[in-house]
Amino acid sequence: MTTATAADYGWIRSATSPFRYALESGYVLTLVRGVSPEQFLALAGAEPRGVCEGGDELIERHQELLEESDGGDGPYVLAGACAVPGEDGAWTLALALGGDSWPPGFMETLSAGTRAVSHSSNGGKPMHFFHWYENGELRTRFEWPTVRSGSTPDELNSLMCEVGLGLTDDDASRVDLKAAVFALAERLTGVRLAVEPMALAEYRTAVVPEAPAEEWTSITIDITDAYGVRTYAHIENDG
Protein backbone atom coordinates (compact mmCIF):
# COMPACT_ATOMS: atom_id res chain seq x y z
CA MET A 1 0.00 0.00 0.00
CA THR A 2 1.27 3.47 -0.85
CA THR A 3 2.35 5.83 1.94
CA ALA A 4 2.09 9.08 -0.02
CA THR A 5 1.77 12.39 1.84
CA ALA A 6 1.49 16.02 0.78
CA ALA A 7 5.31 16.24 0.82
CA ASP A 8 5.46 13.86 -2.16
CA TYR A 9 3.49 16.31 -4.31
CA GLY A 10 5.29 19.57 -3.67
CA TRP A 11 6.32 19.44 -7.34
CA ILE A 12 2.84 20.40 -8.61
CA ARG A 13 3.60 24.11 -8.15
CA SER A 14 7.21 24.04 -9.43
CA ALA A 15 8.28 25.94 -12.54
CA THR A 16 8.78 22.66 -14.44
CA SER A 17 5.48 21.11 -13.43
CA PRO A 18 3.07 20.27 -16.26
CA PHE A 19 0.33 20.82 -13.70
CA ARG A 20 0.88 24.55 -13.18
CA TYR A 21 -1.10 25.37 -16.30
CA ALA A 22 -3.96 23.20 -15.07
CA LEU A 23 -4.13 25.09 -11.80
CA GLU A 24 -4.29 28.40 -13.67
CA SER A 25 -6.79 27.40 -16.36
CA GLY A 26 -9.07 25.13 -14.30
CA TYR A 27 -8.96 21.37 -14.42
CA VAL A 28 -10.50 18.04 -13.46
CA LEU A 29 -8.14 15.13 -12.85
CA THR A 30 -9.83 11.73 -12.63
CA LEU A 31 -8.49 8.22 -12.00
CA VAL A 32 -10.68 5.19 -12.67
CA ARG A 33 -9.88 1.49 -12.49
CA GLY A 34 -10.66 -0.95 -15.33
CA VAL A 35 -11.92 1.60 -17.85
CA SER A 36 -9.76 2.28 -20.93
CA PRO A 37 -8.94 5.84 -22.08
CA GLU A 38 -11.13 5.31 -25.14
CA GLN A 39 -14.05 4.11 -23.01
CA PHE A 40 -13.59 7.01 -20.62
CA LEU A 41 -13.85 9.65 -23.34
CA ALA A 42 -16.78 7.91 -25.01
CA LEU A 43 -18.71 7.79 -21.71
CA ALA A 44 -18.05 11.52 -21.28
CA GLY A 45 -19.64 12.18 -24.67
CA ALA A 46 -16.42 13.86 -25.79
CA GLU A 47 -15.47 14.56 -29.40
CA PRO A 48 -12.17 12.76 -30.29
CA ARG A 49 -9.28 15.01 -31.33
CA GLY A 50 -6.53 12.43 -31.88
CA VAL A 51 -3.44 11.55 -29.87
CA CYS A 52 -0.80 13.92 -28.51
CA GLU A 53 2.66 13.25 -27.13
CA GLY A 54 3.26 14.66 -23.68
CA GLY A 55 1.87 17.26 -21.34
CA ASP A 56 3.29 20.24 -23.26
CA GLU A 57 1.45 19.23 -26.43
CA LEU A 58 -1.76 18.68 -24.45
CA ILE A 59 -1.47 22.26 -23.16
CA GLU A 60 -0.76 23.56 -26.68
CA ARG A 61 -3.87 21.82 -28.00
CA HIS A 62 -5.97 23.36 -25.25
CA GLN A 63 -4.63 26.81 -26.11
CA GLU A 64 -5.45 26.18 -29.77
CA LEU A 65 -8.99 25.21 -28.75
CA LEU A 66 -9.35 28.53 -26.90
CA GLU A 67 -8.14 30.39 -29.99
CA GLU A 68 -10.68 28.53 -32.13
CA SER A 69 -13.43 29.63 -29.75
CA ASP A 70 -12.22 33.24 -30.00
CA GLY A 71 -14.34 34.49 -27.11
CA GLY A 72 -17.47 32.70 -28.28
CA ASP A 73 -19.56 30.10 -26.52
CA GLY A 74 -16.85 27.43 -26.53
CA PRO A 75 -16.00 24.62 -26.43
CA TYR A 76 -13.29 25.37 -23.89
CA VAL A 77 -12.53 22.01 -22.24
CA LEU A 78 -9.99 19.58 -23.67
CA ALA A 79 -9.37 16.23 -22.01
CA GLY A 80 -6.32 14.02 -22.33
CA ALA A 81 -6.59 10.40 -21.18
CA CYS A 82 -3.89 7.77 -20.80
CA ALA A 83 -3.38 4.37 -19.15
CA VAL A 84 -1.44 4.27 -15.88
CA PRO A 85 -0.48 1.46 -13.48
CA GLY A 86 -2.23 1.37 -10.12
CA GLU A 87 -3.65 -0.84 -7.41
CA ASP A 88 -5.45 -4.01 -8.57
CA GLY A 89 -4.87 -3.54 -12.28
CA ALA A 90 -4.87 -0.91 -15.01
CA TRP A 91 -6.25 2.58 -14.44
CA THR A 92 -7.00 5.52 -16.69
CA LEU A 93 -5.85 9.02 -15.85
CA ALA A 94 -7.91 11.76 -17.49
CA LEU A 95 -6.94 15.41 -17.22
CA ALA A 96 -9.50 17.92 -18.49
CA LEU A 97 -8.17 21.45 -18.99
CA GLY A 98 -10.36 24.55 -18.91
CA GLY A 99 -13.24 23.21 -16.83
CA ASP A 100 -13.92 22.07 -13.29
CA SER A 101 -16.48 19.26 -13.68
CA TRP A 102 -17.61 16.43 -15.95
CA PRO A 103 -21.11 16.24 -17.50
CA PRO A 104 -23.92 15.54 -14.98
CA GLY A 105 -24.19 11.88 -13.99
CA PHE A 106 -20.89 10.99 -15.64
CA MET A 107 -19.00 10.01 -12.49
CA GLU A 108 -21.82 7.75 -11.31
CA THR A 109 -21.82 5.97 -14.67
CA LEU A 110 -18.03 5.84 -14.87
CA SER A 111 -17.63 4.29 -11.43
CA ALA A 112 -20.31 1.60 -11.80
CA GLY A 113 -18.67 -1.63 -10.67
CA THR A 114 -15.37 0.04 -9.92
CA ARG A 115 -13.64 2.95 -8.13
CA ALA A 116 -13.12 6.50 -9.40
CA VAL A 117 -11.38 9.39 -7.69
CA SER A 118 -11.47 12.95 -8.94
CA HIS A 119 -10.28 16.40 -7.88
CA SER A 120 -10.68 19.77 -9.52
CA SER A 121 -10.21 23.52 -9.47
CA ASN A 122 -12.04 26.26 -11.32
CA GLY A 123 -8.80 28.08 -12.14
CA GLY A 124 -7.72 31.14 -10.18
CA LYS A 125 -10.89 31.21 -8.10
CA PRO A 126 -10.99 29.61 -4.65
CA MET A 127 -13.07 26.51 -5.38
CA HIS A 128 -11.32 23.12 -5.21
CA PHE A 129 -13.27 19.85 -4.91
CA PHE A 130 -12.42 16.22 -4.16
CA HIS A 131 -14.74 13.27 -4.97
CA TRP A 132 -14.46 9.56 -4.24
CA TYR A 133 -16.95 7.25 -6.00
CA GLU A 134 -17.37 3.53 -5.42
CA ASN A 135 -19.68 1.37 -7.56
CA GLY A 136 -21.69 4.35 -8.79
CA GLU A 137 -22.04 5.95 -5.35
CA LEU A 138 -20.52 9.21 -4.15
CA ARG A 139 -18.82 8.14 -0.94
CA THR A 140 -16.90 11.26 0.14
CA ARG A 141 -16.86 14.80 -1.22
CA PHE A 142 -15.26 17.93 0.17
CA GLU A 143 -13.82 21.29 -0.69
CA TRP A 144 -12.46 22.18 2.73
CA PRO A 145 -11.46 18.96 4.57
CA THR A 146 -13.43 19.79 7.71
CA VAL A 147 -16.72 19.99 5.76
CA ARG A 148 -17.45 16.64 4.10
CA SER A 149 -20.49 15.03 2.48
CA GLY A 150 -21.43 11.84 0.64
CA SER A 151 -22.77 8.48 1.79
CA THR A 152 -19.68 7.86 3.98
CA PRO A 153 -18.26 11.32 4.66
CA ASP A 154 -15.99 10.16 7.50
CA GLU A 155 -14.61 6.92 6.03
CA LEU A 156 -11.44 8.59 4.75
CA ASN A 157 -10.69 10.48 7.96
CA SER A 158 -7.67 8.40 8.96
CA LEU A 159 -6.18 8.58 5.45
CA MET A 160 -6.84 12.31 5.29
CA CYS A 161 -4.91 12.82 8.51
CA GLU A 162 -2.02 10.66 7.27
CA VAL A 163 -1.57 12.62 4.02
CA GLY A 164 -1.77 15.99 5.81
CA LEU A 165 -5.43 16.93 5.43
CA GLY A 166 -6.12 17.74 9.07
CA LEU A 167 -9.66 17.45 10.38
CA THR A 168 -9.61 20.78 12.18
CA ASP A 169 -9.43 24.17 10.50
CA ASP A 170 -6.14 24.89 12.27
CA ASP A 171 -4.56 21.65 11.02
CA ALA A 172 -5.79 22.16 7.46
CA SER A 173 -4.29 25.65 7.28
CA ARG A 174 -0.76 24.26 7.77
CA VAL A 175 -0.43 22.20 4.59
CA ASP A 176 -0.65 22.66 0.83
CA LEU A 177 -4.16 21.26 0.46
CA LYS A 178 -3.79 20.57 -3.27
CA ALA A 179 -0.63 18.53 -2.70
CA ALA A 180 -2.41 16.64 0.08
CA VAL A 181 -5.37 15.90 -2.21
CA PHE A 182 -2.96 14.42 -4.79
CA ALA A 183 -1.58 12.20 -2.04
CA LEU A 184 -5.07 11.16 -0.94
CA ALA A 185 -5.91 10.19 -4.54
CA GLU A 186 -2.77 8.06 -4.64
CA ARG A 187 -3.73 6.34 -1.37
CA LEU A 188 -7.09 5.36 -2.91
CA THR A 189 -5.78 4.26 -6.31
CA GLY A 190 -2.15 3.26 -5.97
CA VAL A 191 -1.38 5.60 -8.90
CA ARG A 192 1.75 7.66 -8.27
CA LEU A 193 1.88 10.83 -10.38
CA ALA A 194 5.20 12.49 -11.10
CA VAL A 195 6.56 15.22 -13.36
CA GLU A 196 8.30 13.09 -15.98
CA PRO A 197 5.59 10.45 -16.60
CA MET A 198 2.92 13.14 -16.94
CA ALA A 199 5.17 15.18 -19.23
CA LEU A 200 5.94 12.22 -21.50
CA ALA A 201 2.64 10.33 -21.55
CA GLU A 202 0.71 9.68 -24.76
CA TYR A 203 -2.75 11.21 -24.33
CA ARG A 204 -5.88 10.45 -26.29
CA THR A 205 -7.57 13.84 -26.56
CA ALA A 206 -11.17 14.92 -26.92
CA VAL A 207 -13.29 18.03 -26.54
CA VAL A 208 -15.63 17.70 -23.57
CA PRO A 209 -19.17 19.13 -23.67
CA GLU A 210 -19.53 22.02 -21.26
CA ALA A 211 -21.02 21.02 -17.93
CA PRO A 212 -23.08 23.34 -15.74
CA ALA A 213 -21.34 24.75 -12.71
CA GLU A 214 -21.46 22.40 -9.75
CA GLU A 215 -24.06 23.38 -7.20
CA TRP A 216 -22.26 24.40 -4.05
CA THR A 217 -23.27 24.47 -0.41
CA SER A 218 -20.20 26.34 0.77
CA ILE A 219 -16.81 27.62 -0.38
CA THR A 220 -13.58 28.25 1.46
CA ILE A 221 -11.34 31.14 0.44
CA ASP A 222 -7.76 30.03 1.06
CA ILE A 223 -4.95 32.49 0.24
CA THR A 224 -1.21 32.30 0.91
CA ASP A 225 0.62 35.64 0.70
CA ALA A 226 4.21 36.28 -0.37
CA TYR A 227 5.39 35.76 3.22
CA GLY A 228 3.81 32.33 3.53
CA VAL A 229 0.97 33.52 5.78
CA ARG A 230 -2.30 31.71 5.06
CA THR A 231 -5.73 33.29 5.43
CA TYR A 232 -9.03 31.53 4.87
CA ALA A 233 -12.75 32.13 5.30
CA HIS A 234 -15.58 29.61 5.07
CA ILE A 235 -18.81 30.85 3.41
CA GLU A 236 -22.10 28.95 3.50
CA ASN A 237 -24.63 29.15 0.64
CA ASP A 238 -27.98 29.87 2.27
CA GLY A 239 -29.82 30.31 -1.03
Side-chain angles (χ1 to χ4, degrees), residues 15-183:
T16 58
S17 168
F19 199 73
R20 285 191 67 180
Y21 178 83
L23 286 170
E24 294 169 357
S25 65
Y27 82 92
V28 190
L29 190 153
T30 301
L31 295 161
V32 59
R33 182 178 55 216
V35 176
S36 71
E38 297 88 346
Q39 290 171 324
F40 185 105
L41 296 173
L43 284 171
E47 175 193 337
R49 288 289 183 101
V51 175
C52 73
E53 299 289 341
D56 287 345
E57 187 175 344
L58 181 63
I59 290 171
E60 289 173 5
R61 291 199 181 187
H62 181 244
Q63 292 173 335
E64 290 170 0
L65 181 66
L66 296 180
E67 291 175 3
E68 290 174 18
S69 301
D70 193 26
D73 293 332
Y76 299 112
V77 182
L78 180 73
C82 63
V84 290
E87 187 176 283
D88 298 328
W91 292 68
T92 283
L93 176 153
L95 176 61
L97 299 173
D100 61 0
S101 62
W102 297 107
F106 170 69
M107 290 297 294
E108 288 82 357
T109 301
L110 178 70
S111 62
T114 189
R115 170 175 291 184
V117 176
S118 184
H119 53 88
S120 63
S121 171
N122 60 346
K125 305 179 184 68
M127 294 179 70
H128 307 269
F129 292 99
F130 174 89
H131 298 81
W132 164 40
Y133 285 84
E134 199 83 21
N135 196 26
E137 179 182 48
L138 176 59
R139 299 288 294 276
T140 303
R141 171 191 183 275
F142 63 84
E143 184 195 14
W144 189 247
T146 60
V147 184
R148 302 173 300 280
S149 59
S151 64
T152 58
D154 298 329
E155 187 169 345
L156 301 183
N157 285 8
S158 61
L159 285 181
M160 291 174 68
C161 289
E162 289 175 19
V163 301
L165 287 165
L167 298 181
T168 70
D169 288 340
D170 187 51
D171 289 336
S173 67
R174 297 173 182 172
V175 69
D176 183 336
L177 295 181
K178 187 60 69 177
V181 160
F182 267 80

